[in-house]
Each structure stands twice: as C-alpha cells, then as structure tokens.
C-alpha cells in the first residue's frame, strides 16, 4: 500500500513538472505580449527600446532558460507579480481561494447529501415511478450546460422575482450579504453536482441490494429502512466516496464557468481573468493549484478506497 | 447494421426518437442557407430598427439584440455545434483507436508510456487547461486566425487532444482480448501481416464498442464547445454559436430574458438526444442486451 502511494506521488510530481512547463510555454503563445502592449500604448517607443526592454526582462533568452528561472523562484515561494492586481501573485490567489472555498465546501456537502438521498430513494424500487423521476432529474443535470442553468436562475430569482442579486461579490462583509450573493451560484453548482451522486448511489445501492446478505437480513425480519441504511448503504459507500473525491476535483475546475457567470471572485474567475488579461504569473499559479487539487483528489479517492475496502489491501 | 440490430435500435424508443431529432436537426442545419434565402433574412446583417422583435410570422422566434432573425441564428449555431461535436468526437476516436492499437500490439514499454500518458491527462483539470489552449493566439504558431473554418478546426484539435483517452482504453482492452482469440492466433500462425491482422480481424470486432463510446461523447464535446464559445474563446462573432448567443443573452437578462431560453434549450436537447442515441446504439450492437431486457 505504501508502495502504491509512493508510486502515485511520483507520478503526480512528474505530471506537475510537465504541466508547469507546458503551461509556461502555452501562456507565452497567448496574444498581447506585454512589450507589444507597451509599444502600442506609447508611440515614442522605438524598436531599439523594445529590444532593450526585452533584454531587461530576460524575454530574449530561450524558453527553457526562462522556465528554469521561473521554477527556481517558484520553489522558493516567489511566483512573481500580478499585472492586473498589482500585488504578489500568491496574495491575489489566496484571496480568491478563500472565496472559492466559501462557495465550494457548502456546495459539495449539499450536492452529496441530496444526491445520495435521491439515489437511495431511487434504488428502493428500481424502474418505479420515483426512480424514473429521479433518473430524469439526474440525467438533466448531466446534459445541462452550467451557464444556461445559471442564466435561467438569474432570470427567475433576480429578474422576475427580484429576491436575490444577479451576481458579484458581497458589497459589505456581513453574513446575510455573503449568503445572498452565494445563494444562486451555490444552487447552480448543487443542482448540477448532485446528478453524479444520485446516479452512482443508485447503481451501487441496486448492486448491494442484490447480494445474499440482504436476503438474509430481510428473512430475519429487519425492517426495510434498516436493511436499506444499515445493511446496503455501507457496502455501497465505496464507489460513492470515490465519486465524492473525484467530484470535488471536477467542481474546482467546473466552478470556473459558474463563478464567471455570477462574477464571484473565486479561483475559477481569477484564472479566466488572468488568462484574458495576460496576467501570466497569476494564470500559471492558478493553473498549477487547480492541477494540484485535482491530483490530490484522485489520490485521496484511491486512499479512501483502500481504507474502506479490506479486499484491496491483499 | 443488420436487420436484428436495427430492430434492437428501434426497440430503444427514446434512442430511436432521439436519432430522429438529430437527423432533423442536421437537415435543418444543412438547409440553413436555403432557409435564410427563402425567408429573405440575412442572419449576419444587423438591422437596428428591428431589435428584440417579438415572435411573428416573419420571425418565428423573434429577433436578437441586433435585429437578426433568432431562428436562423439558432440553425447556423447548430451547424457549428454539430460540426464540432461530430468532428471532435471523430478526431478523438481516430487518435484513441491508433493509440489503443499501438499499446495493445506492441505492449511493454510502448503500452506503459501511452497508458501513463492517458492516466496523466485524465488527472489534469480539464476545463482550465482547455481555456489556456483555446486562448493561444493561432497567429503565433503560424496558423490563420479569424475564419470560421480555422476556428472550427482549432476547437476540434483542442477537444481531440484531451478526448482520445476513453476510446484508447476501450480499444486497448478489446484488442488485447481479441488478439488472444483463436481466430487471431490462427491468422498470426498463417503469417498474416500485422497491418492486415489489425485491419481485418481486430478493428472490425472492436468497432462497435468504439462507435458507442464515440456517439456518447458527441454530447460532451458539444457542451465543451458551448462553454468555450460562451467564454469568448471558441467560435468568434459574427459567426453564430449557441454558447456565444447565451453569452450575449446574459448581458440582456433584464431587457430580453427569452433570448437566453432558445440557445440553451438547443444545447440541452442535442446533448440529451446524442446520449439516448448512444444508449440505443449500444443495445443495437450488443446481442446480449436483448436477452437482458427479456
């Protein structure tokens, strides 16, 4: 088991190094080189000045050399300066991370709780009416573009009913302002997120309910709710927990669209703004952090599976 | 598809109906220029005197913020979505097929490297990376920029870069089991060349699995294109795309909320339909499904 974790850590480290280099190279290919922008905004800048500026910032050196210089300072905790926010990249990112967690943690808990409950309900009588409805809801959640649901919710709650703000960060740091501004993005992500839990729970519960020990429990006269929750659910938990860990990773990257629609100043919106605004340092750091979270989540999924299922430990 | 397979496909009622919807959508998308001429509108020419016209005989779904016919814009958007969906799924399938066959045939180091690459790709945060890729300026790597065809090709390439993993895994697993079958071993013993063995014996026997996975992935590709276009990184205006139409609609939720309904509904229906069609195809190509359904 320790060997497995070690191998996965090595693989994750290699992935991060390769990804950071690929991202570094790609970001240089995006439009709007800072020197080009400087030339465009100041007509007195001559070609010689541009060359001097490039040399001053080290932009005339080969890609690999520039990447290594960035990597060395990144390892020392220096990620450069943000062009858009005029602050060190890591400070900009930390603020966005807090906002993202405020959105994602309650959302994850809610979609897991509701999704698992729906999945159990659906598995109680497969192919019944409840199952059909829950299946349709779960299926809709998977086929629905997140930004469409977001816009529809804005139309309903902000335009027609006028109950909630259409987006943006909370204007004052009070709890009620936070909750009002978090409500719609959180509702969007929860609705879409619970679909995966419901489908996975339903499938795992139906499989568990077909096992012989369930028949035994029923024969011994255990009430249906006890059979469902005490006998079947723990056995169905392994695939469900795996989904939860992987889903958190999807959420981290998937929240990008929803954060952008609602102008919620989280990681996803920051990454998007940084890419569009040529804020290279912030974009790189945000991308790497997203990759680290994703890798950590898939490692966590494996570890949880090992912990829950003694058969995997050999 | 044999007669029995076709009847299995049609037995999946949601899938058969979905296939009908997709064919109708494809026909309407292909006929969009003819329809535009028949209706006498240019879906790309702004007419500021007719902004936000309500639905009428002249404009069945009304007009958008620049006075362009919404129905025609939707149909032109369908051309983009279907082209990217089909093209992206097909390109992913071809890469996946090649990678999967290479991994299964050579095995050993080739297999290990390709499959670790697949694992690594799946473990990455897909959407942020796709956005970085989509933001790359095509002019900097010597490609034309701006034309619709170039945009379509760009998105299809980006989709395929990440989309091949599933087909590669399916192909590898199926090819490994086929290569152990008696008929494949007999062909090897008879001295059939590897290329002929793969083309005549292996690929036809795993084509069904690949076709199902590819059909099922069309919906995901269409969703991805709409996200990129929504974020302004996909198909560029004035070309119509469902995602970009929704991005415009978001700015107008207070003045024209209905503009947000149609493009989203179009994406939703198309994605649902490709999923059902994929399920039906899986039933059609798997004779055991009939027995299971009972």
């Amino acid at each position: 088991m320790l060997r497995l974790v070690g191998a996965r850590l090595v693989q994750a480290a290699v992935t991060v190094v390769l990804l950071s280099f690929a991202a570094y190279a790609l970001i240089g290919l995006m439009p709007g080189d800072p020197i080009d922008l400087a030339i465009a905004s100041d007509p007195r800048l001559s070609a010689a000045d541009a060359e001097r500026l490039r040399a001053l910032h080290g932009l005339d050196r080969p890609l690999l050399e520039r990447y290594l210089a960035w990597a060395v300072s990144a390892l020392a905790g220096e990620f450069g300066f943000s062009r858009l926010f005029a602050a060190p990249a890591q400070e900009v990112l930390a603020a966005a991370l807090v906002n993202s967690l405020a959105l994602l943690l309650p959302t994850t808990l809610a979609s897991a709780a509701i999704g698992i409950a729906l999945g159990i309900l659906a598995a109680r009588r497969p192919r019944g009416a409840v199952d059909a409805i829950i299946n349709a809801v779960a299926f809709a959640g998977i086929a629905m573009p997140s930004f469409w649901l977001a816009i529809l919710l804005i139309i309903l709650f902000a335009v027609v009913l006028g109950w909630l703000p259409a987006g943006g960060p909370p204007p004052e740091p009070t709890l009620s302002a936070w909750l009002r501004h978090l409500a719609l993005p959180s509702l969007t992500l929860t609705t879409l997120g619970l679909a995966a839990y419901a489908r996975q729970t339903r499938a795992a519960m139906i499989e568990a309910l077909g096992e012989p020990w369930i028949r035994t429990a029923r024969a011994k006269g255990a009430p249906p709710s006890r059979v469902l929750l005490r006998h079947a659910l723990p056995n169905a938990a392994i695939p469900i927990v795996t989904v939860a860990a992987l889903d958190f990773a999807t959420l981290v990257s998937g929240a990008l669209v929803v954060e952008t629609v609602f102008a919620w100043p989280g990681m996803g919106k920051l990454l998007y703004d940084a890419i569009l605004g040529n804020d290279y340092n912030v974009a790189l750091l945000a991308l790497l952090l997203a990759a680290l979270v994703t890798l950590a989540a898939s490692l966590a999924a494996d570890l949880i599976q090992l912990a829950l299922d003694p058969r995997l430990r050999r | 598809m044999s007669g029995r397979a076709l009847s299995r496909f049609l037995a999946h009622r949601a899938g058969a109906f979905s296939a009908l919807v997709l064919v109708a959508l494809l026909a309407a998308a292909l006929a969009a220029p003819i329809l535009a001429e028949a209706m006498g509108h240019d879906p790309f020419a702004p007419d500021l005197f007719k902004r936000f016209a309500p639905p009428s005989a002249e404009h069945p779904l009304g007009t958008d913020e620049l006075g362009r016919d919404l129905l025609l814009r939707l149909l032109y958007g369908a051309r983009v979505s279907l082209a990217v969906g089909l093209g992206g799924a097909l390109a992913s399938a071809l890469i996946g097929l090649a990678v999967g066959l290479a991994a299964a045939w050579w095995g050993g180091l080739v297999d290990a490297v390709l499959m670790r690459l697949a694992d690594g790709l799946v473990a990455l945060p897909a959407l942020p990376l796709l956005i970085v890729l989509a933001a790359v300026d095509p002019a900097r790597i010597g490609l034309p920029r701006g034309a619709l065809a170039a945009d379509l090709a760009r998105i299809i390439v980006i989709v395929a870069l990440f989309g091949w993993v599933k087909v590669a895994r399916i192909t590898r697993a199926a090819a490994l089991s086929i290569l152990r079958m008696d008929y494949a071993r007999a062909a090897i013993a008879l001295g059939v060349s590897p290329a002929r063995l793969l083309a005549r014996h292996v690929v036809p026997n795993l084509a069904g699995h690949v076709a199902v996975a590819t059909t099922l992935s069309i919906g995901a590709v269409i969703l991805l294109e709409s996200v990129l276009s929504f974020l302004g990184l996909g198909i560029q205006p004035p070309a119509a795309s469902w995602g970009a139409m929704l991005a415009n609609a978001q700015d107008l939720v207070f003045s024209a909320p209905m503009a947000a309904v149609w493009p989203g509904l179009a994406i939703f229906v198309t994605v649902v339909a490709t999923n059902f069609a994929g399920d039906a195809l899986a039933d059609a190509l798997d004779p055991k499904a009939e027995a299971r359904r009972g």
Side-chain angles (χ1 to χ4, degrees):
Chain A
M1 181 175 161
L2 223 57
R3 269 192 59 177
L4 182 87
V5 175
R8 291 295 304 269
L9 282 177
V10 170
Q11 198 182 352
V14 172
T15 310
V16 167
V17 171
L18 287 178
L19 176 73
S20 68
F21 179 67
Y24 193 90
L26 278 175
I27 282 175
L29 289 173
M30 295 197 299
D33 177 321
I35 308 287
D36 290 344
L37 289 182
I39 294 172
S41 61
D42 185 354
R44 285 168 305 171
L45 216 60
S46 68
D49 291 331
E51 276 315 305
R52 215 171 48 245
L53 271 174
R54 269 184 226 287
L56 179 68
H57 292 291
L59 289 169
D60 55 346
R61 272 176 269 145
L63 181 67
L64 193 62
E65 198 177 313
R66 277 185 286 149
Y67 168 73
L68 286 177
W70 173 84
V72 167
S73 62
L75 285 177
E78 278 294 328
F79 295 94
F81 215 68
S82 161
R83 265 163 45 96
L84 287 180
F85 302 92
Q90 58 268 35
E91 280 176 26
V92 175
L93 209 76
L97 193 61
V98 171
N99 288 333
S100 266
L101 288 178
L103 172 62
L104 296 184
L105 288 181
T107 301
T108 308
L109 289 179
S111 45
I114 302 172
I116 291 173
L118 288 180
I120 294 174
L121 273 180
R124 227 166 41 145
R125 202 159 292 133
R127 286 166 192 267
V130 180
D131 184 30
I133 294 169
I134 290 173
N135 245 337
V137 170
F139 193 63
I142 288 168
M144 194 143 186
S146 55
F147 48 93
W148 187 43
L149 180 60
I151 294 173
L152 292 182
L153 288 176
I154 290 177
I155 291 176
L156 178 62
F157 287 104
V159 179
V160 178
L161 298 173
W163 290 351
L164 293 165
E172 69 255 27
T174 61
L175 184 64
S176 73
W178 270 81
L179 289 180
R180 277 167 56 79
H181 282 258
L182 271 173
L184 284 184
S186 184
L187 183 60
T188 310
L189 287 171
T190 306
T191 310
L192 297 173
L194 63 85
Y197 288 98
R199 281 172 81 114
Q200 193 69 42
T201 305
R202 177 182 176 275
M205 283 293 284
I206 287 178
E207 200 187 326
L209 284 171
E211 301 284 354
W213 67 77
I214 297 294
R215 207 180 330 135
T216 310
R218 284 197 182 124
K220 286 167 74 179
S225 62
R226 191 180 158 81
V227 171
L228 216 53
L229 298 179
R230 296 282 307 170
H231 294 267
L233 188 58
N235 284 290
I238 296 164
I240 300 174
V241 172
T242 313
V243 175
L246 294 178
D247 181 71
F248 189 72
T250 326
L251 203 57
V252 168
S253 33
L256 190 150
V257 178
V258 173
E259 283 180 1
T260 308
V261 175
F262 288 105
W264 181 254
M267 281 265 298
K269 180 163 172 7
L270 178 66
L271 176 60
Y272 177 67
D273 290 345
I275 287 171
L276 287 198
N278 301 306
D279 198 341
Y280 301 152
N281 290 328
V282 171
L284 255 179
L285 186 57
L287 196 62
L288 281 181
L289 195 65
L292 279 177
V293 171
T294 319
L295 290 168
S298 83
L299 187 63
D302 283 0
L303 289 180
I304 293 169
Q305 221 164 0
L306 277 175
L308 286 181
D309 192 346
R311 283 168 299 184
L312 290 177
R313 270 175 261 162
R314 263 177 291 176
Chain B
M1 219 188 271
S2 70
R4 302 202 52 169
L6 186 64
S7 77
R8 279 195 296 268
F9 187 89
L10 295 177
H12 191 300
R13 263 184 254 143
F17 180 70
S18 297
L20 203 67
V21 169
L22 288 177
V23 169
L25 186 68
L26 190 65
L30 288 175
I34 304 169
L35 207 63
E37 205 148 307
M39 290 170 65
H41 307 309
D42 179 351
F44 301 103
D47 181 352
L48 296 179
F49 293 108
K50 285 202 285 186
R51 298 173 70 212
F52 302 124
S56 62
E58 199 190 351
H59 299 285
L61 296 181
T63 59
D64 70 356
E65 75 279 8
L66 294 177
R68 300 171 296 193
D69 185 76
L70 211 53
L71 178 66
L72 286 175
R73 301 272 306 161
L74 273 182
L75 290 181
Y76 272 90
R79 292 162 78 92
V80 167
S81 287
L82 291 175
V84 171
L86 295 173
L90 215 59
S92 308
L94 289 177
I95 299 177
L97 201 60
V99 170
L101 285 178
W105 179 253
W106 280 298
L109 189 65
V110 176
D111 185 22
V113 168
L114 289 176
M115 287 303 115
R116 287 301 79 70
L117 186 65
D119 291 346
L121 268 186
V122 174
L124 292 176
L127 193 58
L129 270 177
L130 287 171
I131 286 168
V132 172
L133 281 172
V136 165
D137 184 354
R140 294 206 178 202
I141 38 179
L143 294 173
R145 107 175 106 178
L148 177 60
D151 267 346
L152 288 178
R154 185 169 60 90
I155 307 265
I156 289 175
V157 167
I158 291 173
V159 165
L161 275 179
F162 282 83
W164 56 268
V165 172
K166 191 161 188 201
V167 170
R169 285 183 175 158
I170 292 172
T171 303
R172 175 181 172 275
L176 280 176
S177 89
I178 291 169
L179 285 172
R180 274 196 296 270
M181 298 268 179
D182 285 342
Y183 61 85
R185 293 160 58 120
I188 295 172
L190 284 171
V192 169
S193 74
R196 193 178 156 80
L197 175 74
L198 292 179
R200 284 296 300 270
H201 298 286
V202 177
V203 172
N205 283 308
L206 53 76
H209 298 289
V210 172
V212 170
T214 304
T215 311
L216 286 174
S217 73
I218 294 174
V221 176
I222 290 177
L223 275 180
L224 206 59
E225 184 275 326
S226 70
V227 167
L228 292 178
S229 293
F230 179 77
L231 294 174
L233 298 167
I235 306 300
Q236 299 301 318
S241 100
W242 292 339
M245 289 170 79
L246 274 170
N248 288 337
Q250 195 202 341
D251 299 334
L252 304 165
V253 278
F254 287 97
S255 46
M258 276 312 279
V261 172
W262 297 114
L265 200 62
I267 300 173
F268 182 68
V269 168
T270 313
V271 173
V272 169
T274 57
N275 274 301
F276 279 135
D279 278 348
L281 191 63
D283 280 4
L285 297 178
D286 178 11
K288 284 174 223 144
E290 208 165 18
R292 267 206 308 277
R293 277 169 173 266

